[in-house]
Amino acid sequence: MGKETLQKIAEVRERLRQLQRQQTASNNGTASAPPAPVIDPPPARPKIAEMSAEVVDSNPYSRLMALKRMGIVKDYEKIREKTLIVVGVGGVGSVVAEMLTRCAVGKLILFDYDKVELANMNRLFYQPHQSGLSKVEASRDTLLHINPDVEIEVHNINITTINNFKLFVDRIRHGSLSNGQVDLVLSCVDNFEARMTVNTACNEENQIWIESGVSENAVSGHIQYIEPGKTACFSCLPPLVVASNIDEKTLKKEGVCAASLPTTMAIVAGFLVQNSLKYLLHFGTVSNYVGYNALADFFPTQEILPNPQCDDRFCRQRQSEYREAQASKPKEEPVVEEEPAIVHEENDWGIELVATDEDLPAASNSNATTANAGLKFAYDAPAANGTDESAPSDAPPAKAIDLSSLQAQLKGL
Amino acid sequence: MGKETLQKIAEVRERLRQLQRQQTASNNGTASAPPAPVIDPPPARPKIAEMSAEVVDSNPYSRLMALKRMGIVKDYEKIREKTLIVVGVGGVGSVVAEMLTRCAVGKLILFDYDKVELANMNRLFYQPHQSGLSKVEASRDTLLHINPDVEIEVHNINITTINNFKLFVDRIRHGSLSNGQVDLVLSCVDNFEARMTVNTACNEENQIWIESGVSENAVSGHIQYIEPGKTACFSCLPPLVVASNIDEKTLKKEGVCAASLPTTMAIVAGFLVQNSLKYLLHFGTVSNYVGYNALADFFPTQEILPNPQCDDRFCRQRQSEYREAQASKPKEEPVVEEEPAIVHEENDWGIELVATDEDLPAASNSNATTANAGLKFAYDAPAANGTDESAPSDAPPAKAIDLSSLQAQLKGL
């Protein structure tokens, strides 16, 4: 870059600073007037046609492609063929989108209908100058600046209305780079209704998705992998959350807000994207459920099998299809990977730590005996009513959760 | 902000885009010429004198102050009195600094001597337009933009040289907002020499610190809380890492680089800052060691007690001081909190999951029997030589690691 250009940039920078000083002065030192958007730097590198493993400072992909040489991932560059939908780009979803962008995913489709506010600044990703912008548009600007190789499609809408739901289903079905079904849907929303909407659409479209959540006291969170017909869907039984006594209803008052921390949100985003990468690129083991209790650094895991009496008829249909597919196959282990995973030494352990009652003190919550210690259902359930005799022969074993009796409560919400 | 200002901003934005197009054209479409820094947006909000819990969109602290109402943290606003040193602002350290900045810490002191490169773009925080800038200066610009209330002090130096080590020690001793000792040192470096330097300084200054690390195959990491005299220091025994067969020496060749992922780095950064917050604000339980195996979502923990024969004489001195302090007190549980922690329901479990040999398959590594399953020492150790008879009476119990015989190896590095 020539001296003349550098000189021009210095001039522009100085002019921007002057404007900023004027603006700060006109805001009169109060925090109550969020400043309007100032500027996003334009894309700072040209597009790159092919991912290279060359080890030079100017290659943004050298550290990703090194995963191949390390024996972790067989074909890292396949990431560029993948399309993911991220529903909700708040404290978790925006970080999820940034991670996927830096990992060089092919295409991201973002849904949100909220605006950036200064009150969001205690979490990663958004910056104060973006206050007032729609979250999806602010995200697109930043993500394209970070990595112009990623295709970003944004929808500034609430997916829970009827018309928007149709659009959401259409994007699941036709959103990929080749106008086919997307590879994965990631739910990063903060309310029950939106999660149920994602669930309904994914059961209908037979779409694998991963749900995530962070508690309103900011110190716990979870991710849950949902494969229609094979694992519990979000409607099969009350959502499983890391135990906490906060009553969600008490938080929905005027003048009251949930607590949040950038740490917990980034950890949950990390778990979500890590499991997405494992699923998309066929390495390691995709977890069914990972919880995080920040106060104790405790990570409960859980297998959650589907409820044969699930209210969602598409869920029941997927279960039936899954049973038929399993019955027609020779004996097969229910693993998530559809292609053989690369074998490397960490996997030799085959470790999946599941807390048992022997390891841990009994939890006081009345439902805790049906879930692993450290986990509880998001709302109360009636007393356990014994084994469901009507369950088919491949119904959940004793260890997994099978609580069709809880389903009625879902309707009441 | 007036229409005139908005108009001016639009003009400046357009001029920047023109410059960018010229620049991209002159780069001739190749990725090998990283563009020079373009622009950082200036601070976008005025400073805030006092943290408020008011629930309005314009309050950047409402979600943090809500931790008080939730019963998680007693005095969140005390965060503004705290000073932390972050050594290394790469893939982990830069995210650590951003989290702490968004959490409204009082002061950050950053050390690094590296430059931002496009090759760093597969991790969070830095953006392409910062290529070529020093990491600490690029960090300062971004952090002050995100939160102008945080004081940021940066040192673009390598702490392992003699003169720089003196400066590093001075900043530990006098770096706080009141020119006293800092509250915590966080090590986010990627090499043994720098970790040993932090260790030496912290033993000398009796400074609590937390070490972090991510494996060169990108799929494991750890944090380790180190309190001189009470826990093992970095020199007491070989560093404990999540098991992996990668030989560090094979990676240090021309044309070969370590793999990295934004997920693993952000998760380790999250664990590091979460435990820092727990330590600084007295809530939850500060973990001695948390590991992360991304392939299996497995999180080994470990208590690591000091080695009475540690090579570092300041470590031995701190151990002696700690024993004396313990002996002069009535019987006391060795907890990290120095003030009573707030009691809330998650803590009722008192859960700290420690993997035992019964739970998990035996690891094949020869040293693994001395550490919990899933962990191994960073380099080979001689065969176990039985209990050290010379250890004082309050020496580590059988479960903890006490391998003074390994210490000689540290010298050889």
Side-chain angles (χ1 to χ4, degrees):
Chain A
M1 194 158 54
K3 272 188 183 172
E4 202 186 347
T5 316
L6 282 170
Q7 177 60 31
K8 280 183 191 164
I9 287 172
E11 283 170 30
V12 171
R13 191 192 280 264
E14 182 48 37
R15 193 163 163 200
L16 266 173
R17 291 219 167 111
Q18 284 171 5
L19 286 170
Q20 182 59 30
R21 279 193 290 271
Q22 287 170 14
Q23 184 196 331
T24 304
S26 76
N27 279 345
N28 208 15
T30 65
S32 55
V38 176
I39 199 144
D40 276 306
R45 72 159 170 87
K47 289 194 183 195
I48 294 172
E50 217 164 298
M51 289 181 86
S52 149
E54 194 192 0
V55 182
V56 289
D57 287 343
S58 56
N59 178 6
Y61 297 137
S62 56
R63 268 65 167 168
L64 296 170
M65 294 293 275
L67 289 163
K68 294 171 68 174
R69 197 178 46 76
M70 298 274 181
I72 304 295
V73 181
K74 203 172 108 193
D75 296 311
Y76 190 86
E77 57 271 40
K78 290 223 164 142
I79 194 78
R80 294 182 85 166
E81 300 165 10
K82 309 296 181 186
T83 299
L84 290 93
I85 291 178
V86 180
V87 186
V89 285
V92 173
S94 63
V95 180
V96 161
E98 180 174 351
M99 287 174 173
L100 288 166
T101 296
R102 292 185 183 266
C103 284
V105 72
K107 180 175 173 183
L108 285 177
I109 304 176
L110 311 179
F111 286 87
D112 202 324
Y113 62 101
D114 208 1
K115 280 204 165 82
V116 180
E117 306 286 358
L118 279 185
N120 305 136
M121 294 305 136
N122 69 318
R123 284 148 280 175
L124 300 182
F125 193 74
Y126 296 112
Q127 299 201 355
H129 68 280
Q130 296 177 311
S131 299
L133 295 178
S134 87
K135 283 185 177 173
V136 290
E137 278 155 22
S139 295
R140 181 180 50 198
D141 285 353
T142 304
L143 298 174
L144 285 177
H145 174 65
I146 291 171
N147 189 349
D149 297 333
V150 181
E151 190 172 315
I152 313 275
E153 174 184 316
V154 304
H155 299 279
N156 191 13
I157 62 167
N158 176 354
I159 61 166
T160 66
T161 70
I162 291 172
N163 279 337
N164 292 341
F165 179 77
K166 282 181 192 159
L167 174 63
F168 178 53
V169 168
D170 175 79
R171 300 324 291 145
I172 292 175
R173 204 179 292 173
H174 301 299
S176 86
L177 287 167
S178 54
N179 301 319
Q181 187 165 344
V182 300
D183 296 284
L184 196 58
V185 172
L186 303 179
S187 169
C188 306
V189 299
D190 63 356
N191 66 86
F192 184 82
E193 193 187 3
R195 286 186 176 94
M196 283 301 276
T197 303
V198 175
N199 189 65
T200 303
C202 289
N203 277 336
E204 237 179 84
E205 297 301 309
N206 204 7
Q207 172 64 55
I208 293 176
W209 62 293
I210 312 182
E211 134 77 1
S212 68
V214 172
S215 68
E216 302 218 333
N217 64 3
V219 289
S220 63
H222 71 270
I223 63 159
Q224 181 178 348
Y225 170 89
I226 300 180
E227 181 171 341
K230 182 174 164 184
T231 70
C233 85
F234 199 73
S235 188
C236 278
L237 74 174
L240 206 60
V241 295
V242 178
S244 156
N245 269 344
I246 302 293
D247 180 358
E248 201 169 319
K249 291 182 206 87
T250 66
L251 299 166
K252 303 297 183 193
K253 291 181 203 154
E254 190 85 20
V256 171
C257 71
S260 59
L261 282 167
T263 44
T264 308
M265 298 255 178
I267 289 165
V268 169
F271 291 169
L272 187 54
V273 176
Q274 199 85 288
N275 277 280
S276 300
L277 294 173
K278 290 192 282 182
Y279 169 74
L280 295 169
L281 299 173
H282 310 292
F283 67 99
T285 304
V286 178
S287 297
N288 190 173
Y289 187 99
V290 184
Y292 168 51
N293 176 311
L295 297 176
D297 283 321
F298 174 62
F299 304 88
T301 61
Q302 175 81 49
E303 275 184 84
I304 320 179
L305 297 181
N307 174 2
Q309 276 83 48
C310 181
D311 249 9
D312 186 315
R313 72 181 173 91
F314 282 105
C315 175
R316 295 195 307 274
Q317 183 182 323
R318 300 304 165 214
Q319 291 183 52
S320 161
E321 289 164 6
Y322 181 74
R323 279 195 302 271
E324 281 161 25
Q326 291 299 100
S328 69
K329 278 184 195 172
K331 198 176 164 123
E332 187 202 12
E333 282 295 293
V335 289
V336 165
E337 294 86 8
E338 277 152 38
E339 289 173 27
I342 293 173
V343 177
H344 29 67
E345 62 94 26
E346 277 95 344
N347 248 359
D348 289 349
W349 309 337
I351 292 166
E352 189 177 357
L353 190 66
V354 178
T356 65
D357 292 346
E358 288 75 55
D359 295 331
L360 299 167
S364 58
N365 184 281
S366 60
N367 293 320
T369 50
T370 57
N372 281 328
L375 292 172
K376 63 162 208 150
F377 295 106
Y379 40 85
D380 281 342
N385 62 350
T387 310
D388 184 346
E389 296 293 328
S390 66
S393 60
D394 56 352
K399 193 176 177 189
I401 297 170
D402 173 32
L403 291 172
S404 54
S405 65
L406 298 181
Q407 198 177 10
Q409 295 222 0
L410 279 168
K411 287 185 202 169
L413 288 178
Chain B
M1 192 159 51
K3 272 189 185 173
E4 201 187 346
T5 315
L6 281 170
Q7 177 62 31
K8 279 183 192 165
I9 286 172
E11 283 170 29
V12 171
R13 192 192 279 263
E14 182 49 34
R15 194 163 163 199
L16 265 172
R17 292 216 167 114
Q18 283 170 4
L19 285 171
Q20 182 61 29
R21 278 192 291 272
Q22 286 169 15
Q23 184 196 331
T24 304
S26 76
N27 280 344
N28 207 15
T30 64
S32 56
V38 176
I39 200 142
D40 276 306
R45 72 158 171 87
K47 290 194 182 195
I48 294 172
E50 218 164 298
M51 290 180 84
S52 150
E54 196 192 358
V55 182
V56 288
D57 287 342
S58 57
N59 178 7
Y61 297 137
S62 56
R63 268 65 167 168
L64 296 170
M65 295 294 275
L67 289 163
K68 295 171 67 173
R69 197 178 44 78
M70 297 274 179
I72 303 293
V73 181
K74 203 171 109 191
D75 296 312
Y76 190 87
E77 57 272 39
K78 289 223 165 142
I79 193 78
R80 294 184 85 166
E81 299 165 11
K82 308 296 180 185
T83 299
L84 291 92
I85 292 178
V86 180
V87 186
V89 285
V92 173
S94 63
V95 179
V96 161
E98 180 174 351
M99 287 173 172
L100 288 166
T101 296
R102 293 186 183 264
C103 283
V105 71
K107 180 175 174 185
L108 285 177
I109 305 177
L110 311 179
F111 286 88
D112 203 323
Y113 62 103
D114 208 1
K115 279 203 164 82
V116 180
E117 305 287 358
L118 280 184
N120 305 137
M121 294 306 135
N122 69 318
R123 284 147 279 175
L124 301 182
F125 192 73
Y126 295 112
Q127 299 200 356
H129 69 279
Q130 296 177 312
S131 299
L133 295 179
S134 87
K135 284 184 176 173
V136 290
E137 278 155 23
S139 295
R140 180 180 51 199
D141 285 354
T142 305
L143 298 174
L144 285 176
H145 175 64
I146 291 170
N147 189 347
D149 296 334
V150 180
E151 190 171 318
I152 312 276
E153 174 184 316
V154 304
H155 300 279
N156 190 14
I157 62 167
N158 175 354
I159 62 165
T160 67
T161 69
I162 290 173
N163 277 337
N164 292 342
F165 179 78
K166 282 182 193 159
L167 173 63
F168 178 54
V169 168
D170 175 80
R171 300 325 292 145
I172 292 176
R173 203 180 291 174
H174 301 300
S176 86
L177 287 166
S178 54
N179 300 319
Q181 188 166 345
V182 300
D183 296 283
L184 196 58
V185 172
L186 303 179
S187 170
C188 306
V189 299
D190 63 357
N191 66 86
F192 185 82
E193 194 187 1
R195 287 185 175 94
M196 283 300 277
T197 303
V198 175
N199 189 65
T200 302
C202 289
N203 277 336
E204 235 180 85
E205 297 301 309
N206 205 6
Q207 172 64 54
I208 293 174
W209 62 293
I210 312 181
E211 133 78 1
S212 68
V214 172
S215 68
E216 302 218 332
N217 65 1
V219 289
S220 64
H222 71 270
I223 63 159
Q224 180 177 348
Y225 170 89
I226 299 179
E227 181 170 340
K230 182 174 166 186
T231 70
C233 85
F234 199 73
S235 187
C236 278
L237 75 173
L240 207 60
V241 295
V242 178
S244 155
N245 271 344
I246 301 294
D247 180 358
E248 200 170 318
K249 291 181 206 92
T250 67
L251 298 166
K252 301 299 184 194
K253 292 181 205 155
E254 189 84 20
V256 171
C257 71
S260 60
L261 282 166
T263 45
T264 308
M265 297 254 179
I267 289 165
V268 169
F271 290 170
L272 187 55
V273 176
Q274 200 84 288
N275 276 281
S276 300
L277 294 173
K278 290 192 283 182
Y279 169 74
L280 295 168
L281 299 173
H282 309 291
F283 66 100
T285 304
V286 179
S287 296
N288 190 174
Y289 188 100
V290 184
Y292 169 51
N293 176 312
L295 297 176
D297 283 323
F298 174 62
F299 303 87
T301 60
Q302 174 81 51
E303 276 185 83
I304 320 179
L305 297 182
N307 173 2
Q309 275 83 46
C310 181
D311 249 10
D312 186 314
R313 72 181 173 90
F314 282 106
C315 175
R316 296 195 307 275
Q317 184 184 324
R318 299 304 164 213
Q319 291 184 51
S320 161
E321 289 164 7
Y322 182 74
R323 281 194 301 271
E324 281 161 25
Q326 292 299 100
S328 68
K329 279 183 194 171
K331 199 175 162 125
E332 188 201 10
E333 281 296 294
V335 291
V336 166
E337 294 85 9
E338 280 152 37
E339 289 174 27
I342 294 173
V343 177
H344 30 71
E345 62 96 24
E346 278 96 343
N347 250 359
D348 289 352
W349 308 336
I351 292 168
E352 189 177 357
L353 189 64
V354 177
T356 64
D357 292 345
E358 288 76 53
D359 295 331
L360 298 167
S364 59
N365 184 281
S366 60
N367 293 320
T369 50
T370 57
N372 281 331
L375 293 173
K376 64 162 207 146
F377 295 106
Y379 39 86
D380 283 342
N385 62 350
T387 310
D388 185 346
E389 295 294 330
S390 66
S393 58
D394 56 351
K399 195 177 174 188
I401 296 171
D402 173 30
L403 292 172
S404 54
S405 65
L406 300 180
Q407 197 177 9
Q409 296 221 359
L410 279 168
K411 287 184 200 169
L413 288 177

